[in-house]
Amino acid sequence: MAKEIKKIAIYGKGGIGKSTTTSNISAALVEAGYKVLQFGCDPKSDSTNTLRGGKYIPTVLDLLRQNPNVDAHDAIFQGFQGVYCVEAGGPAPGVGCAGRGIITAVELLKQQHIFEELDLDFVIFDVLGDVVCGGFAVPVREGIAEHVFTVSSSDFMSVYASNNLMKGIKKYSNQGGALFGGIIANSINSDYQKSIIDDFVDKTGTKVIEYVPRSITVTQAELSGRTTIEAAPNTPQADIYRSLARKIAAHTESRVPTPLEIDALREWSANWADQLLAIETNEVRGERAGI
Amino acid sequence: MTKILDEPRYACALGAAQTVQAIYRAVPIFHSGPGCAGRVSGNSGTGYLSTNTFPCSNIGEAEVVFGGEGKLREVIANSLKVIDGDLFVVLSGCTTEIVGDDIVQVVGEFEDASKPILHVNTPGFKGTNYEGHEWVVDALIKQYLSTLPKGEKIKGLVNIWGPVPSHDPYWIGDFRELENLVREIGLTPNIIFGEHRGIENLNNVPLAEFNLLVSPWVGLQNVQLLEEKFGTPFLHYPTLPSGAHESSEFLRAVAQFAGLPPEPVEQIIARHEEEYYYHIERNVSVFFENRTASKMFSTVSTAHRALSVAKFLVNDFGLMPNKQYITENVPEKHKARIAQYFKEFNYNIQAEAVFETDGYKIHEQIKQEYYAGPPLIAGSIFEKKITKELDGNFICISSPFSQKVVLHSSYVGYHGGLKFLEDLYTGVYQTYN
Ligand SMILES: Nc1ncnc2c1ncn2[C@@H]1O[C@H](COP(=O)(O)OP(=O)(O)O)[C@@H](O)[C@H]1O
Ligand SMILES: [Mg+2]
């Protein structure tokens, strides 16, 4: 009997650090001895780059474009300590339907029972963030993933994307869809940034899984085509990713989130804007006083 | 919110392929899945091309993901090679529109092709086959007729619009009868649809002295566009004339618009009416001594057909109208005007026009109505059963038909009115004798 595979999806606004975070989680998990497959579900197709020396791999849709009867094995590549890497890929910008592309790619691997065959412990989907259409919601639907996390900074746009994701999860939650695990707070370097995210999880009945600071170590590792875990294993940043990976491995209970309605969300952000302004003017006054 | 529609009586915008097909030697090219193409071309018979040979890009999942423009390009290029047509019209279906294929650009690449190639966005979610018909005609005007060298107007030439091919099988007979009527008063009719008229008639459209639209709404935007593009005035005559009274009114209106002297027209009318009423009188026993005759009626059809039949039954045949059900999902902007048409019968008789697309809801209302005896229901095959339940008289005037085969006959004109009575009372005889 095959073991239970833990299926996780990580969403977030474009450029917020999904792939960086996901790849470090995958790297930390393989380092800890688990068998992991990372599935990039973003037409950018760069999710797994830092797991494979900065190199792009042929995507499922690339293969499908050439041959309608793709063998899913051809789309699977191994990287850091044997981690499996797959990229869904996408059409050329401005043509076709990227959402349908994600559906097609995910279904292809599912149909060919790849996850079971590879005897995996974890499948991690790294999905383009704002749940703009049904295609990007596919990992949430029909139990393809069980736990969904979102990567978010304290920026409003990023919080907005997380809130949207929660709405998507809520919609599918009574149809056997995935539930919400929590927020991975990225680029949190100051107290007020932390307070914003803390307040948001409070309002939406969820929690922060880990606070990940913005760090030059990450940039250096990325430039060398590697994850922080691989390039700088003995740094505090690597330890934070390890801690995050342990928490995700131990995570069992996800919930139906209670996202904010759009008006409430706007009011919430307006409130924070006022508070930030107050903080800033205080700082300015403080500086003046110091002269 | 979308709901389930019981007994729909129209098709989706892609059904406008039938409009293209009705232009002799014009070829529709489907940019859609094979299922859509099969469905909409399935019941429109064959013609210059069999519907089975209509080119189609047959898009599948790969085209959804990566876009279907490449496949469309291929199909257009190959269609030009293997099909001997005069005009090609690319029609897009829902899927290719959702995916965002740019058919305008792909068709634009064929600017220098040996034959004109047009494009029309006809996703089903945007409208019905009736609206699709208008979009096809608009495309003919904008993308083809506007590119022709300017010519002199031809005195007495009249473009006739109104009937929509081929959803209503009477369309071709209706066109022919309108043609006959217009020709009789000395004008030269020009119709682009039907046998062997084709591109030659199409090319003459900008040269007409005026456009004659015989329809409550379908085609109105087309004649407006023709006026804008070619300065051609139009006469919008909402009622498709059936029977003596309406046909005479029609002839007078057209003659007046064309500036023809009234006397010769009145002579023609008199001759027709004499013949018409001779037949009515001869058979009056059939109509009035029949104890099953209905006194009140409802039509269940397109605005076009319902208005035609209702006007005939009230103004010519002397029945009283009950509710008139308009079934083709008429665009909102036309509804008030159409409702008004049903309030303008002779003797100040008025009827209520009910815009309803759902067969179940229509039948529920019919059951509630008072018909002062056996109702006469003029509708589609969907109304046959309910009419029977109500012990009424039924005549099939509307799609879906599958009740009778219509080759070229028509209820339009003086002869058309008589033909309507033949059919109506054949039905009565078959029910009771
Ligand atoms: N915690 C961090 N510290 C420093 N740089 C980061 C951090 N997280 C993400 N980045 C940088 O932000 C950029 C975008 O990250 P990426 O993971 O590609 O975003 P996404 O996958 O959400 O589009 C990358 O250059 C990445 O190195
Ligand atoms: Mg990414």
Side-chain angles (χ1 to χ4, degrees), chain A residues 207-285:
Chain A
K207 61 179 179 182
V208 173
I209 300 290
E210 190 70 77
Y211 303 92
V212 182
R214 193 160 189 89
S215 153
I216 191 145
T217 318
V218 175
T219 315
Q220 284 165 342
E222 184 182 72
L223 289 173
S224 72
R226 290 174 293 172
T227 58
T228 304
I229 297 284
E230 182 180 6
N234 302 318
T235 55
Q237 188 78 7
D239 283 338
I240 289 171
Y241 285 126
R242 287 191 189 100
S243 155
L244 170 61
R246 271 196 303 277
K247 287 179 186 166
I248 283 179
H251 181 93
T252 50
E253 287 294 308
S254 287
R255 287 196 245 158
V256 180
T258 51
L260 296 177
E261 286 310 314
I262 187 67
D263 287 341
L265 184 65
R266 284 178 186 155
E267 199 181 312
W268 175 85
S269 78
N271 257 330
W272 269 105
D274 292 346
Q275 286 189 45
L276 292 186
L277 196 67
I279 293 172
E280 201 175 317
T281 32
N282 275 342
E283 272 176 13
V284 174
R285 276 202 206 104

Side-chain angles (χ1 to χ4, degrees), chain A residues 61 64-65 90-91 95-97 100-101 104, chain B residues 61-67 69 99-101:
Chain A
L61 293 180
L64 212 54
R65 208 191 304 250
V95 290
C97 177
R100 186 68 217 176
T104 310
Chain B
E61 180 146 32
E63 285 73 37
V64 172
V65 174
F66 301 115
E69 293 176 6
V99 165
D101 280 355

Side-chain angles (χ1 to χ4, degrees), chain A:
Chain A
M1 188 63 215
K3 64 186 160 191
E4 193 72 23
I5 307 168
K6 195 162 199 168
K7 298 185 199 116
I8 287 158
I10 294 180
Y11 283 71
K13 157 186 174 299
I16 205 63
K18 292 179 299 293
S19 302
T20 307
T21 311
T22 309
S23 300
N24 274 297
I25 294 170
S26 294
L29 288 171
V30 288
E31 191 188 59
Y34 294 109
K35 295 184 81 172
V36 181
L37 183 145
Q38 181 166 325
F39 198 145
C41 295
D42 184 330
K44 244 197 305 172
S45 313
D46 63 353
S47 170
T48 59
N49 280 21
T50 52
L51 292 168
R52 303 192 69 261
K55 287 194 208 65
Y56 285 90
I57 55 176
T59 69
V60 178
L61 293 180
D62 283 340
L63 298 170
L64 212 54
R65 208 191 304 250
Q66 290 149 16
N67 171 16
N69 305 314
V70 168
D71 181 345
H73 295 94
D74 295 343
I76 298 169
F77 296 82
Q78 281 187 288
F80 176 69
Q81 296 194 4
V83 65
Y84 295 105
C85 303
V86 181
E87 295 283 353
V95 290
C97 177
R100 186 68 217 176
I102 304 276
I103 297 175
T104 310
V106 171
E107 275 179 359
L108 188 92
L109 265 79
K110 213 179 136 184
Q111 272 163 14
Q112 299 188 17
H113 304 290
I114 295 300
F115 306 148
E116 293 81 1
E117 186 193 306
L118 294 176
D119 193 30
L120 298 171
D121 297 298
F122 290 91
V123 177
I124 311 184
F125 297 91
D126 168 14
V127 195
L128 179 65
D130 234 344
V131 189
V132 283
C133 74
F136 295 97
V138 121
V140 172
R141 276 152 44 182
E142 299 154 25
I144 287 177
E146 301 144 315
H147 306 283
V148 180
F149 299 90
T150 171
V151 177
S152 180
S153 72
S154 60
D155 289 350
F156 178 65
M157 286 306 152
S158 162
V159 170
Y160 180 89
S162 298
N163 194 64
N164 266 358
L165 171 69
M166 290 185 195
K167 285 184 180 171
I169 291 173
K170 195 175 164 195
K171 172 174 158 46
Y172 291 110
S173 60
N174 54 4
Q175 301 161 30
L179 297 181
F180 194 66
I183 292 184
I184 300 165
N186 192 31
S187 301
I188 304 295
N189 292 45
S190 77
D191 284 346
Y192 81 83
Q193 289 171 324
K194 184 168 174 298
S195 321
I196 292 175
I197 283 289
D198 284 346
D199 187 34
F200 179 69
V201 295
D202 232 38
K203 293 272 187 312
T204 50
T206 170
K207 61 179 179 182
V208 173
I209 300 290
E210 190 70 77
Y211 303 92
V212 182
R214 193 160 189 89
S215 153
I216 191 145
T217 318
V218 175
T219 315
Q220 284 165 342
E222 184 182 72
L223 289 173
S224 72
R226 290 174 293 172
T227 58
T228 304
I229 297 284
E230 182 180 6
N234 302 318
T235 55
Q237 188 78 7
D239 283 338
I240 289 171
Y241 285 126
R242 287 191 189 100
S243 155
L244 170 61
R246 271 196 303 277
K247 287 179 186 166
I248 283 179
H251 181 93
T252 50
E253 287 294 308
S254 287
R255 287 196 245 158
V256 180
T258 51
L260 296 177
E261 286 310 314
I262 187 67
D263 287 341
L265 184 65
R266 284 178 186 155
E267 199 181 312
W268 175 85
S269 78
N271 257 330
W272 269 105
D274 292 346
Q275 286 189 45
L276 292 186
L277 196 67
I279 293 172
E280 201 175 317
T281 32
N282 275 342
E283 272 176 13
V284 174
R285 276 202 206 104
E287 275 169 31
R288 280 216 188 109
I291 293 171

Side-chain angles (χ1 to χ4, degrees), chain B residues 106-121:
Chain B
V106 176
V107 169
E109 294 168 19
F110 290 88
E111 206 177 18
D112 299 329
S114 53
K115 299 290 167 61
I117 303 171
L118 280 46
H119 55 82
V120 192
N121 300 90

